[in-house]
Amino acid sequence: AQTVTQSQPEMSVQEAETVTLSCTYDTSESDYYLFWYKQPPSRQMILVIRQEAYKQQNATENRFSVNFQKAAKSFSLKISDSQLGDAAMYFCAYRSPYSGGGADGLTFGKGTHLIIQP
Amino acid sequence: DTEVTQTPKHLVMGMTNKKSLKCEQHMGHRAMYWYKQKAKKPPELMFVYSYEKLSINESVPSRFSPECPNSSLLNLHLHALQPEDSALYLCASSSYGTGVYNEQFFGPGTRLTVL
């Protein structure tokens, strides 16, 4: 079974600065997918960024980028130019591509609560 | 329309009640999911439906009974719940297949309180 670990229960950053959220995972699979989801107080889970394990290039979505280190099984999220609207719980998630049913659930880390200081 | 809707937003029920949660999507997705999220915890997978058939049941107690009557609708029937079942219940949907772009779209959840 896969596990996802987020070692930072809470992080705080000044508005307009950069913050990095950590995520490590454990798996015996060679191919897999990794995601960062954001859950603001409104509770709606929103996909922030995704990464395929066999792609070495780090994914980027506007102010969000990842540092994917496959050998180290590390998948950190960097948020540049932090904005007040970035305040939320951030979950790192893993999904296996090897599902007999063609659909598989996500395995989530425990989450990091991100606070943006104005 | 890239929205997953869930009703009701809030539900309070007694341990002897029977209630249902509803989830709907019109994105043509053929995979739908129920997750349970306790306060300050990550979501935990409960059920997966693929093409309206139950494909994954994560050993969920029988007091939770899922149903997928058509490709757009997913229900979760609740009966004889316990106070520890109080949680946020999230529904999600995705295209069938496990490619990285088959992302799961989540609904806003139903906040369930069992008295």
Side-chain angles (χ1 to χ4, degrees):
Chain A
Q2 298 81 25
T3 59
V4 178
T5 301
Q6 293 179 249
S7 58
Q8 306 154 314
E10 187 173 282
M11 292 283 284
S12 181
V13 64
Q14 291 289 127
E15 195 175 1
E17 295 193 343
T18 296
V19 63
T20 298
L21 308 184
S22 301
C23 173
T24 59
Y25 57 92
D26 189 28
T27 182
S28 58
E29 297 174 331
S30 58
D31 194 19
Y32 45 86
Y33 308 121
L34 297 166
F35 305 86
W36 278 98
Y37 276 87
K38 166 185 177 181
Q39 188 176 36
S42 66
R43 312 184 313 218
Q44 185 106 30
M45 295 279 281
I46 303 165
L47 178 66
V48 174
I49 201 164
R50 73 192 96 201
Q51 176 82 41
E52 297 180 79
Y54 70 85
K55 285 192 176 179
Q56 297 197 0
Q57 184 174 5
N58 290 323
T60 299
E61 290 283 347
N62 300 313
R63 298 183 294 106
F64 299 87
S65 61
V66 299
N67 183 4
F68 174 51
Q69 302 288 330
K70 189 174 184 180
K73 296 182 180 176
S74 171
F75 181 60
S76 60
L77 174 70
K78 185 171 83 171
I79 305 174
S80 303
D81 185 25
S82 298
Q83 300 176 0
L84 294 176
D86 295 334
M89 184 70 81
Y90 285 80
F91 291 100
C92 178
Y94 176 105
R95 199 181 79 208
S96 170
Y98 308 115
S99 171
D104 204 359
L106 296 164
T107 300
F108 289 92
K110 291 186 175 182
T112 296
H113 181 212
L114 179 63
I115 299 167
I116 310 294
Q117 305 277 7
Chain B
D1 183 2
T2 58
E3 191 179 19
V4 176
T5 60
Q6 290 188 245
T7 54
K9 290 185 178 179
H10 300 275
L11 178 63
V12 179
M13 60 186 291
M15 289 190 284
T16 58
N17 292 156
K18 286 185 180 181
K19 297 286 185 184
S20 297
L21 310 184
K22 179 181 171 181
C23 172
E24 199 162 4
Q25 56 88 15
H26 296 286
M27 293 179 276
H29 290 164
R30 302 311 294 270
M32 296 186 77
Y33 312 78
W34 280 115
Y35 289 85
K36 174 182 178 180
Q37 186 177 22
K38 301 281 279 184
K40 300 189 185 302
K41 299 288 187 183
E44 293 179 343
L45 183 68
M46 300 174 72
F47 303 104
V48 179
Y49 271 83
S50 303
Y51 282 88
E52 296 88 70
K53 294 191 186 306
L54 184 65
S55 56
I56 296 177
N57 177 343
E58 293 287 2
S59 302
V60 179
S62 59
R63 57 186 184 269
F64 294 91
S65 175
E67 178 196 22
C68 191
N70 60 57
S71 60
S72 300
L73 191 56
L74 184 67
N75 297 320
L76 186 63
H77 302 297
L78 314 172
H79 174 56
L81 294 193
Q82 303 297 311
E84 59 264 29
D85 296 322
S86 298
L88 180 67
Y89 288 84
L90 294 168
C91 174
S93 71
S94 74
S95 299
Y96 185 80
T98 55
V100 74
Y101 289 98
N102 291 341
E103 68 188 79
Q104 293 183 21
F105 290 81
F106 284 82
T110 293
R111 175 77 64 192
L112 174 68
T113 302
V114 182
L115 300 177

PDB file of all heavy atoms in Angstrom, chain B residues 13-20 61-65 77-86 89 112 114-115:
ATOM      1  N   MET B  13     -29.020  13.993  11.764  1.00  0.00           N
ATOM      2  CA  MET B  13     -29.904  12.840  11.865  1.00  0.00           C
ATOM      3  C   MET B  13     -29.671  12.079  13.157  1.00  0.00           C
ATOM      4  O   MET B  13     -28.573  12.111  13.733  1.00  0.00           O
ATOM      5  CB  MET B  13     -29.727  11.912  10.662  1.00  0.00           C
ATOM      6  CG  MET B  13     -28.337  11.350  10.479  1.00  0.00           C
ATOM      7  SD  MET B  13     -28.173  10.393   8.946  1.00  0.00           S
ATOM      8  CE  MET B  13     -29.191   8.961   9.294  1.00  0.00           C
ATOM      9  N   GLY B  14     -30.719  11.404  13.588  1.00  0.00           N
ATOM     10  CA  GLY B  14     -30.608  10.549  14.750  1.00  0.00           C
ATOM     11  C   GLY B  14     -30.114   9.178  14.345  1.00  0.00           C
ATOM     12  O   GLY B  14     -30.087   8.828  13.152  1.00  0.00           O
ATOM     13  N   MET B  15     -29.751   8.398  15.328  1.00  0.00           N
ATOM     14  CA  MET B  15     -29.163   7.095  15.048  1.00  0.00           C
ATOM     15  C   MET B  15     -30.167   6.112  14.451  1.00  0.00           C
ATOM     16  O   MET B  15     -29.773   5.118  13.844  1.00  0.00           O
ATOM     17  CB  MET B  15     -28.525   6.526  16.315  1.00  0.00           C
ATOM     18  CG  MET B  15     -27.255   7.254  16.731  1.00  0.00           C
ATOM     19  SD  MET B  15     -26.364   6.420  18.053  1.00  0.00           S
ATOM     20  CE  MET B  15     -27.393   6.858  19.442  1.00  0.00           C
ATOM     21  N   THR B  16     -31.452   6.409  14.590  1.00  0.00           N
ATOM     22  CA  THR B  16     -32.447   5.486  14.033  1.00  0.00           C
ATOM     23  C   THR B  16     -32.997   5.953  12.687  1.00  0.00           C
ATOM     24  O   THR B  16     -33.812   5.275  12.074  1.00  0.00           O
ATOM     25  CB  THR B  16     -33.615   5.303  15.019  1.00  0.00           C
ATOM     26  OG1 THR B  16     -34.181   6.601  15.271  1.00  0.00           O
ATOM     27  CG2 THR B  16     -33.128   4.697  16.330  1.00  0.00           C
ATOM     28  N   ASN B  17     -32.563   7.114  12.254  1.00  0.00           N
ATOM     29  CA  ASN B  17     -33.090   7.665  11.004  1.00  0.00           C
ATOM     30  C   ASN B  17     -32.508   6.975   9.770  1.00  0.00           C
ATOM     31  O   ASN B  17     -31.441   6.343   9.823  1.00  0.00           O
ATOM     32  CB  ASN B  17     -32.756   9.166  10.901  1.00  0.00           C
ATOM     33  CG  ASN B  17     -33.480  10.005  11.918  1.00  0.00           C
ATOM     34  OD1 ASN B  17     -33.035  11.086  12.255  1.00  0.00           O
ATOM     35  ND2 ASN B  17     -34.614   9.532  12.405  1.00  0.00           N
ATOM     36  N   LYS B  18     -33.225   7.152   8.668  1.00  0.00           N
ATOM     37  CA  LYS B  18     -32.707   6.782   7.345  1.00  0.00           C
ATOM     38  C   LYS B  18     -32.674   8.053   6.507  1.00  0.00           C
ATOM     39  O   LYS B  18     -33.696   8.736   6.398  1.00  0.00           O
ATOM     40  CB  LYS B  18     -33.624   5.770   6.658  1.00  0.00           C
ATOM     41  CG  LYS B  18     -33.578   4.373   7.200  1.00  0.00           C
ATOM     42  CD  LYS B  18     -34.439   3.445   6.336  1.00  0.00           C
ATOM     43  CE  LYS B  18     -34.411   2.025   6.853  1.00  0.00           C
ATOM     44  NZ  LYS B  18     -35.233   1.127   6.006  1.00  0.00           N
ATOM     45  N   LYS B  19     -31.545   8.332   5.933  1.00  0.00           N
ATOM     46  CA  LYS B  19     -31.398   9.516   5.093  1.00  0.00           C
ATOM     47  C   LYS B  19     -30.525   9.159   3.895  1.00  0.00           C
ATOM     48  O   LYS B  19     -29.871   8.118   3.874  1.00  0.00           O
ATOM     49  CB  LYS B  19     -30.741  10.656   5.868  1.00  0.00           C
ATOM     50  CG  LYS B  19     -31.547  11.162   7.054  1.00  0.00           C
ATOM     51  CD  LYS B  19     -32.737  11.979   6.607  1.00  0.00           C
ATOM     52  CE  LYS B  19     -33.445  12.581   7.827  1.00  0.00           C
ATOM     53  NZ  LYS B  19     -34.675  13.318   7.425  1.00  0.00           N
ATOM     54  N   SER B  20     -30.516  10.054   2.923  1.00  0.00           N
ATOM     55  CA  SER B  20     -29.674   9.851   1.745  1.00  0.00           C
ATOM     56  C   SER B  20     -28.940  11.120   1.372  1.00  0.00           C
ATOM     57  O   SER B  20     -29.482  12.217   1.493  1.00  0.00           O
ATOM     58  CB  SER B  20     -30.540   9.403   0.557  1.00  0.00           C
ATOM     59  OG  SER B  20     -31.145   8.162   0.806  1.00  0.00           O
ATOM     60  N   PRO B  61     -18.705  -0.031   6.566  1.00  0.00           N
ATOM     61  CA  PRO B  61     -19.815  -0.718   7.243  1.00  0.00           C
ATOM     62  C   PRO B  61     -21.097  -0.669   6.422  1.00  0.00           C
ATOM     63  O   PRO B  61     -21.350   0.298   5.682  1.00  0.00           O
ATOM     64  CB  PRO B  61     -19.961   0.070   8.553  1.00  0.00           C
ATOM     65  CG  PRO B  61     -18.643   0.720   8.768  1.00  0.00           C
ATOM     66  CD  PRO B  61     -18.081   1.009   7.416  1.00  0.00           C
ATOM     67  N   SER B  62     -21.920  -1.680   6.592  1.00  0.00           N
ATOM     68  CA  SER B  62     -23.131  -1.821   5.768  1.00  0.00           C
ATOM     69  C   SER B  62     -24.181  -0.763   6.070  1.00  0.00           C
ATOM     70  O   SER B  62     -25.163  -0.646   5.327  1.00  0.00           O
ATOM     71  CB  SER B  62     -23.736  -3.205   5.959  1.00  0.00           C
ATOM     72  OG  SER B  62     -24.067  -3.396   7.320  1.00  0.00           O
ATOM     73  N   ARG B  63     -24.000   0.008   7.111  1.00  0.00           N
ATOM     74  CA  ARG B  63     -24.943   1.090   7.381  1.00  0.00           C
ATOM     75  C   ARG B  63     -24.793   2.219   6.340  1.00  0.00           C
ATOM     76  O   ARG B  63     -25.633   3.120   6.286  1.00  0.00           O
ATOM     77  CB  ARG B  63     -24.776   1.636   8.799  1.00  0.00           C
ATOM     78  CG  ARG B  63     -23.395   2.133   9.151  1.00  0.00           C
ATOM     79  CD  ARG B  63     -23.342   2.512  10.625  1.00  0.00           C
ATOM     80  NE  ARG B  63     -22.061   3.084  11.023  1.00  0.00           N
ATOM     81  CZ  ARG B  63     -21.056   2.374  11.491  1.00  0.00           C
ATOM     82  NH1 ARG B  63     -21.169   1.060  11.595  1.00  0.00           N
ATOM     83  NH2 ARG B  63     -19.923   2.962  11.843  1.00  0.00           N
ATOM     84  N   PHE B  64     -23.749   2.154   5.553  1.00  0.00           N
ATOM     85  CA  PHE B  64     -23.577   3.038   4.398  1.00  0.00           C
ATOM     86  C   PHE B  64     -23.854   2.206   3.145  1.00  0.00           C
ATOM     87  O   PHE B  64     -23.172   1.213   2.895  1.00  0.00           O
ATOM     88  CB  PHE B  64     -22.155   3.586   4.321  1.00  0.00           C
ATOM     89  CG  PHE B  64     -21.783   4.499   5.452  1.00  0.00           C
ATOM     90  CD1 PHE B  64     -21.187   3.979   6.594  1.00  0.00           C
ATOM     91  CD2 PHE B  64     -22.023   5.854   5.380  1.00  0.00           C
ATOM     92  CE1 PHE B  64     -20.849   4.809   7.648  1.00  0.00           C
ATOM     93  CE2 PHE B  64     -21.683   6.697   6.422  1.00  0.00           C
ATOM     94  CZ  PHE B  64     -21.095   6.166   7.566  1.00  0.00           C
ATOM     95  N   SER B  65     -24.812   2.637   2.342  1.00  0.00           N
ATOM     96  CA  SER B  65     -25.182   1.874   1.166  1.00  0.00           C
ATOM     97  C   SER B  65     -25.163   2.782  -0.055  1.00  0.00           C
ATOM     98  O   SER B  65     -26.009   3.655  -0.214  1.00  0.00           O
ATOM     99  CB  SER B  65     -26.584   1.285   1.358  1.00  0.00           C
ATOM    100  OG  SER B  65     -27.005   0.629   0.179  1.00  0.00           O
ATOM    101  N   HIS B  77     -26.899   6.079   0.815  1.00  0.00           N
ATOM    102  CA  HIS B  77     -28.004   5.863   1.740  1.00  0.00           C
ATOM    103  C   HIS B  77     -27.443   5.550   3.119  1.00  0.00           C
ATOM    104  O   HIS B  77     -26.518   4.734   3.260  1.00  0.00           O
ATOM    105  CB  HIS B  77     -28.894   4.722   1.235  1.00  0.00           C
ATOM    106  CG  HIS B  77     -29.443   4.966  -0.129  1.00  0.00           C
ATOM    107  ND1 HIS B  77     -30.302   6.014  -0.430  1.00  0.00           N
ATOM    108  CD2 HIS B  77     -29.237   4.304  -1.303  1.00  0.00           C
ATOM    109  CE1 HIS B  77     -30.611   5.987  -1.706  1.00  0.00           C
ATOM    110  NE2 HIS B  77     -29.985   4.962  -2.273  1.00  0.00           N
ATOM    111  N   LEU B  78     -28.039   6.196   4.110  1.00  0.00           N
ATOM    112  CA  LEU B  78     -27.533   6.106   5.478  1.00  0.00           C
ATOM    113  C   LEU B  78     -28.605   5.512   6.384  1.00  0.00           C
ATOM    114  O   LEU B  78     -29.769   5.932   6.331  1.00  0.00           O
ATOM    115  CB  LEU B  78     -27.161   7.505   5.982  1.00  0.00           C
ATOM    116  CG  LEU B  78     -26.350   8.389   5.029  1.00  0.00           C
ATOM    117  CD1 LEU B  78     -26.231   9.801   5.580  1.00  0.00           C
ATOM    118  CD2 LEU B  78     -24.990   7.782   4.768  1.00  0.00           C
ATOM    119  N   HIS B  79     -28.207   4.573   7.209  1.00  0.00           N
ATOM    120  CA  HIS B  79     -29.180   3.939   8.117  1.00  0.00           C
ATOM    121  C   HIS B  79     -28.468   3.465   9.373  1.00  0.00           C
ATOM    122  O   HIS B  79     -27.435   2.819   9.290  1.00  0.00           O
ATOM    123  CB  HIS B  79     -29.854   2.761   7.407  1.00  0.00           C
ATOM    124  CG  HIS B  79     -30.751   1.970   8.313  1.00  0.00           C
ATOM    125  ND1 HIS B  79     -31.784   2.545   9.023  1.00  0.00           N
ATOM    126  CD2 HIS B  79     -30.758   0.656   8.642  1.00  0.00           C
ATOM    127  CE1 HIS B  79     -32.401   1.612   9.733  1.00  0.00           C
ATOM    128  NE2 HIS B  79     -31.799   0.458   9.526  1.00  0.00           N
ATOM    129  N   ALA B  80     -29.077   3.803  10.519  1.00  0.00           N
ATOM    130  CA  ALA B  80     -28.542   3.349  11.807  1.00  0.00           C
ATOM    131  C   ALA B  80     -27.101   3.777  12.008  1.00  0.00           C
ATOM    132  O   ALA B  80     -26.246   2.972  12.399  1.00  0.00           O
ATOM    133  CB  ALA B  80     -28.676   1.833  11.938  1.00  0.00           C
ATOM    134  N   LEU B  81     -26.832   5.042  11.713  1.00  0.00           N
ATOM    135  CA  LEU B  81     -25.473   5.548  11.865  1.00  0.00           C
ATOM    136  C   LEU B  81     -25.121   5.772  13.330  1.00  0.00           C
ATOM    137  O   LEU B  81     -26.002   5.850  14.200  1.00  0.00           O
ATOM    138  CB  LEU B  81     -25.303   6.855  11.090  1.00  0.00           C
ATOM    139  CG  LEU B  81     -25.409   6.764   9.570  1.00  0.00           C
ATOM    140  CD1 LEU B  81     -24.914   8.056   8.938  1.00  0.00           C
ATOM    141  CD2 LEU B  81     -24.644   5.584   9.002  1.00  0.00           C
ATOM    142  N   GLN B  82     -23.841   5.885  13.572  1.00  0.00           N
ATOM    143  CA  GLN B  82     -23.303   6.133  14.901  1.00  0.00           C
ATOM    144  C   GLN B  82     -22.761   7.562  14.973  1.00  0.00           C
ATOM    145  O   GLN B  82     -22.401   8.144  13.947  1.00  0.00           O
ATOM    146  CB  GLN B  82     -22.173   5.147  15.194  1.00  0.00           C
ATOM    147  CG  GLN B  82     -22.593   3.680  15.074  1.00  0.00           C
ATOM    148  CD  GLN B  82     -23.649   3.317  16.089  1.00  0.00           C
ATOM    149  OE1 GLN B  82     -23.506   3.602  17.265  1.00  0.00           O
ATOM    150  NE2 GLN B  82     -24.737   2.710  15.612  1.00  0.00           N
ATOM    151  N   PRO B  83     -22.665   8.128  16.154  1.00  0.00           N
ATOM    152  CA  PRO B  83     -22.116   9.491  16.277  1.00  0.00           C
ATOM    153  C   PRO B  83     -20.735   9.630  15.641  1.00  0.00           C
ATOM    154  O   PRO B  83     -20.412  10.689  15.093  1.00  0.00           O
ATOM    155  CB  PRO B  83     -22.086   9.721  17.783  1.00  0.00           C
ATOM    156  CG  PRO B  83     -23.197   8.883  18.314  1.00  0.00           C
ATOM    157  CD  PRO B  83     -23.204   7.652  17.456  1.00  0.00           C
ATOM    158  N   GLU B  84     -19.933   8.576  15.661  1.00  0.00           N
ATOM    159  CA  GLU B  84     -18.595   8.658  15.065  1.00  0.00           C
ATOM    160  C   GLU B  84     -18.620   8.734  13.542  1.00  0.00           C
ATOM    161  O   GLU B  84     -17.572   8.942  12.907  1.00  0.00           O
ATOM    162  CB  GLU B  84     -17.718   7.474  15.508  1.00  0.00           C
ATOM    163  CG  GLU B  84     -18.269   6.116  15.148  1.00  0.00           C
ATOM    164  CD  GLU B  84     -19.054   5.485  16.300  1.00  0.00           C
ATOM    165  OE1 GLU B  84     -19.626   6.243  17.122  1.00  0.00           O
ATOM    166  OE2 GLU B  84     -19.079   4.236  16.360  1.00  0.00           O
ATOM    167  N   ASP B  85     -19.803   8.566  12.963  1.00  0.00           N
ATOM    168  CA  ASP B  85     -19.941   8.719  11.514  1.00  0.00           C
ATOM    169  C   ASP B  85     -20.102  10.179  11.111  1.00  0.00           C
ATOM    170  O   ASP B  85     -20.150  10.502   9.919  1.00  0.00           O
ATOM    171  CB  ASP B  85     -21.139   7.927  10.994  1.00  0.00           C
ATOM    172  CG  ASP B  85     -20.971   6.434  11.199  1.00  0.00           C
ATOM    173  OD1 ASP B  85     -19.833   5.936  11.030  1.00  0.00           O
ATOM    174  OD2 ASP B  85     -21.966   5.760  11.528  1.00  0.00           O
ATOM    175  N   SER B  86     -20.213  11.050  12.084  1.00  0.00           N
ATOM    176  CA  SER B  86     -20.305  12.482  11.792  1.00  0.00           C
ATOM    177  C   SER B  86     -19.029  12.921  11.083  1.00  0.00           C
ATOM    178  O   SER B  86     -17.923  12.671  11.566  1.00  0.00           O
ATOM    179  CB  SER B  86     -20.482  13.279  13.082  1.00  0.00           C
ATOM    180  OG  SER B  86     -21.686  12.929  13.725  1.00  0.00           O
ATOM    181  N   TYR B  89     -18.865  14.477   3.987  1.00  0.00           N
ATOM    182  CA  TYR B  89     -18.881  13.450   2.956  1.00  0.00           C
ATOM    183  C   TYR B  89     -18.733  14.131   1.600  1.00  0.00           C
ATOM    184  O   TYR B  89     -19.554  14.940   1.199  1.00  0.00           O
ATOM    185  CB  TYR B  89     -20.165  12.616   3.044  1.00  0.00           C
ATOM    186  CG  TYR B  89     -20.119  11.723   4.257  1.00  0.00           C
ATOM    187  CD1 TYR B  89     -20.488  12.203   5.514  1.00  0.00           C
ATOM    188  CD2 TYR B  89     -19.645  10.409   4.162  1.00  0.00           C
ATOM    189  CE1 TYR B  89     -20.398  11.397   6.639  1.00  0.00           C
ATOM    190  CE2 TYR B  89     -19.549   9.602   5.281  1.00  0.00           C
ATOM    191  CZ  TYR B  89     -19.921  10.110   6.524  1.00  0.00           C
ATOM    192  OH  TYR B  89     -19.818   9.311   7.637  1.00  0.00           O
ATOM    193  N   LEU B 112     -22.361  16.066   7.751  1.00  0.00           N
ATOM    194  CA  LEU B 112     -23.293  15.180   8.436  1.00  0.00           C
ATOM    195  C   LEU B 112     -23.010  15.166   9.935  1.00  0.00           C
ATOM    196  O   LEU B 112     -21.860  14.984  10.351  1.00  0.00           O
ATOM    197  CB  LEU B 112     -23.182  13.750   7.890  1.00  0.00           C
ATOM    198  CG  LEU B 112     -23.992  12.682   8.612  1.00  0.00           C
ATOM    199  CD1 LEU B 112     -25.483  12.918   8.391  1.00  0.00           C
ATOM    200  CD2 LEU B 112     -23.604  11.288   8.134  1.00  0.00           C
ATOM    201  N   VAL B 114     -24.457  13.185  13.348  1.00  0.00           N
ATOM    202  CA  VAL B 114     -25.299  12.105  13.873  1.00  0.00           C
ATOM    203  C   VAL B 114     -25.427  12.287  15.382  1.00  0.00           C
ATOM    204  O   VAL B 114     -24.428  12.323  16.102  1.00  0.00           O
ATOM    205  CB  VAL B 114     -24.683  10.729  13.553  1.00  0.00           C
ATOM    206  CG1 VAL B 114     -25.600   9.617  14.068  1.00  0.00           C
ATOM    207  CG2 VAL B 114     -24.449  10.570  12.063  1.00  0.00           C
ATOM    208  N   LEU B 115     -26.660  12.426  15.814  1.00  0.00           N
ATOM    209  CA  LEU B 115     -26.902  12.663  17.246  1.00  0.00           C
ATOM    210  C   LEU B 115     -27.215  11.375  17.984  1.00  0.00           C
ATOM    211  O   LEU B 115     -27.759  10.417  17.393  1.00  0.00           O
ATOM    212  CB  LEU B 115     -28.060  13.645  17.407  1.00  0.00           C
ATOM    213  CG  LEU B 115     -27.847  15.033  16.755  1.00  0.00           C
ATOM    214  CD1 LEU B 115     -29.088  15.885  16.929  1.00  0.00           C
ATOM    215  CD2 LEU B 115     -26.627  15.723  17.359  1.00  0.00           C
TER     216      LEU B 115
END
